[in-house]
Amino acid sequence: MNVVCLDMEGVLVPEIWIAFAQASGIPELKRTTRDEPDYDKLMTWRLGILKEHGLGLKEIQTTIATIDPLPGAKEFLDKLRSETQVIILSDTFEQFAKPLMEKLGWPTIFCNTLEVAENGEITGYKMRCEKSKLTTVKALQSCGFDTIAAGDSFNDLGMIQASKAGFLFKSTEAIKAAHPELPAFEEFDDLLHAIEEAL
Ligand SMILES: [Mg+2]
């Protein structure tokens, strides 16, 4: 049985922290893993900024609710989910993803979890496992699934390369140049067609 594993940010929705920085008017939050490779350090710094601005989970979810999926993403996902099983594999947090999943018609997402105090303050976070995308794809394969994967970033390469078919989607020129062996697409119709061929 097939399961399609899709990255979320940059593929179905904009980068959440960049969109959130714009929506909230806090430009410091545009800092990403490209600027700070230590994810723990980056997240701790981000949570500090949120606290400084008095932003709890509720305020953040309200702001994230103003962010829309990429044009065509919902139609693509609806069509794909009518043809096969789909799981969104993301390094984001379920509480951040929730307003976006609503706009995408509540697809299944496997991601991480924020620790939230009773007053709504975000006190920490829990990552589900190491190299979550590759680990999850391997776990799915271990119980009889064939995986097909697509994503845009470095952290997607593991699941893309480990799958029976894998695609870059809306990726960077540098990643595409470094991986000429991976089919790369920019349009949802082209990605859908390639996935259908692989099913
Ligand atoms: Mg991405």
Side-chain angles (χ1 to χ4, degrees):
M1 182 178 178
N2 289 297
V3 58
V4 177
C5 298
L6 294 177
D7 175 36
M8 180 177 76
E9 292 177 64
V11 169
L12 298 170
V13 308
E15 292 285 340
I16 287 184
W17 285 100
I18 291 177
F20 181 65
Q22 281 159 352
S24 64
I26 309 174
E28 304 98 285
L29 289 176
K30 280 188 188 148
R31 195 168 164 189
T32 69
T33 44
R34 281 172 301 221
D35 313 300
E36 173 53 74
D38 184 332
Y39 190 76
D40 271 331
K41 224 167 138 183
L42 181 64
M43 271 308 298
T44 304
W45 181 82
R46 284 167 167 167
L47 294 185
I49 303 247
L50 295 178
K51 194 173 176 178
E52 217 173 88
H53 287 262
L55 291 172
L57 180 60
K58 199 161 158 268
E59 293 77 25
I60 295 168
Q61 285 180 326
T62 303
T63 308
I64 290 177
T66 66
I67 301 168
D68 282 323
L70 295 176
K74 179 162 192 305
E75 294 73 15
F76 161 78
L77 206 50
D78 285 347
K79 182 82 172 41
L80 191 58
R81 288 169 73 201
S82 76
E83 295 174 10
T84 187
Q85 295 300 309
V86 179
I87 299 174
I88 298 171
L89 295 184
S90 173
D91 285 335
T92 191
F93 304 94
E94 54 185 334
Q95 296 96 331
F96 286 174
K98 196 172 176 186
L100 292 162
M101 292 305 100
E102 183 174 10
K103 292 185 182 185
L104 288 172
W106 301 113
T108 299
I109 180 168
F110 291 176
C111 56
N112 303 295
T113 305
L114 291 169
E115 294 165 347
V116 184
E118 288 219 356
N119 66 1
E121 184 191 327
I122 300 169
T123 53
Y125 60 94
K126 189 169 184 299
M127 302 304 281
R128 197 160 51 79
C129 60
E130 289 277 306
K131 291 186 182 170
S132 64
K133 298 181 192 222
L134 177 60
T135 306
T136 303
V137 156
K138 284 189 168 169
L140 289 166
Q141 291 168 347
S142 79
C143 54
F145 290 102
D146 284 328
T147 63
I148 297 168
D152 70 330
S153 295
F154 288 109
N155 63 348
D156 299 308
L157 290 172
M159 71 168 178
I160 289 172
Q161 288 163 332
S163 291
K164 83 165 179 185
F167 310 104
L168 292 170
F169 187 66
K170 296 185 189 294
S171 191
T172 65
E173 291 307 318
I175 294 178
K176 286 188 274 189
H179 294 277
E181 77 283 6
L182 297 175
F185 304 107
E186 304 298 322
E187 303 296 332
F188 283 113
D189 281 350
D190 296 332
L191 178 61
L192 181 66
H193 185 70
I195 293 172
E196 286 171 343
E197 293 277 293
L199 284 172

